[in-house]
């Protein structure tokens, strides 16, 4: 029982020492891969946000044009709205980049 207690005390001391130690500088390949993965993820998110906003605007305009009978007028208007919404989404992502939030 004493041996177990001494091992637990040594483990506690090691854990508290590791907790208080400064984090190591990680500039190796793993950090570079994480950085590349984060950049790719952000790029795909920006692309998806922009393309989906433009596509939704175009589809809404096309469908409303079809119902109302105003050939390409509303398609163009909603396409412009979708493009503006896409740029706004990209801007929001770029501004909120520091917090990595939505």
């Amino acid at each position: 029982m004493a041996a177990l207690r001494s091992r637990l005390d040594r483990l506690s001391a090691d854990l508290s020492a590791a907790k208080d130690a400064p984090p190591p500088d990680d500039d190796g390949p793993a950090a570079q891969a994480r950085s590349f993965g984060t950049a790719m993820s952000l790029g795909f998110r920006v692309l998806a946000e922009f393309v989906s906003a433009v596509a939704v605007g175009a589809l809404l305009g096309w469908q409303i044009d079809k119902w109302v009978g105003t050939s390409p007028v509303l398609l163009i208007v909603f396409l412009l709205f979708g493009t503006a919404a896409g740029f706004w989404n990209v801007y929001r992502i770029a501004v909120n980049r520091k917090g990595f939030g939505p």
Side-chain angles (χ1 to χ4, degrees):
M1 188 62 114
L4 180 60
R5 187 73 193 144
S6 68
R7 287 177 63 191
L8 286 175
D9 290 339
R10 192 172 16 151
L11 178 62
S12 280
D14 290 345
L15 286 175
S16 61
K19 183 179 175 185
D20 295 337
D25 291 337
D26 193 11
D27 292 335
Q32 291 175 352
R34 260 193 319 273
S35 175
F36 181 72
T38 302
M40 288 293 288
S41 172
L42 184 64
F44 282 129
R45 180 175 174 205
V46 166
L47 178 69
E49 293 273 346
F50 186 75
V51 169
S52 63
V54 172
V56 166
L59 288 173
L60 278 174
W62 175 73
Q63 186 61 44
I64 293 172
D65 264 343
K66 194 172 169 185
W67 288 337
V68 177
T70 57
S71 190
V73 175
L74 293 176
L75 171 66
I76 294 170
V77 169
F78 276 89
L79 186 64
L80 292 175
F81 281 149
T83 303
F87 278 119
W88 178 251
N89 287 340
V90 170
Y91 172 75
R92 282 189 348 198
I93 291 170
V95 167
N96 200 15
R97 173 75 174 109
K98 194 171 193 177
F100 294 100

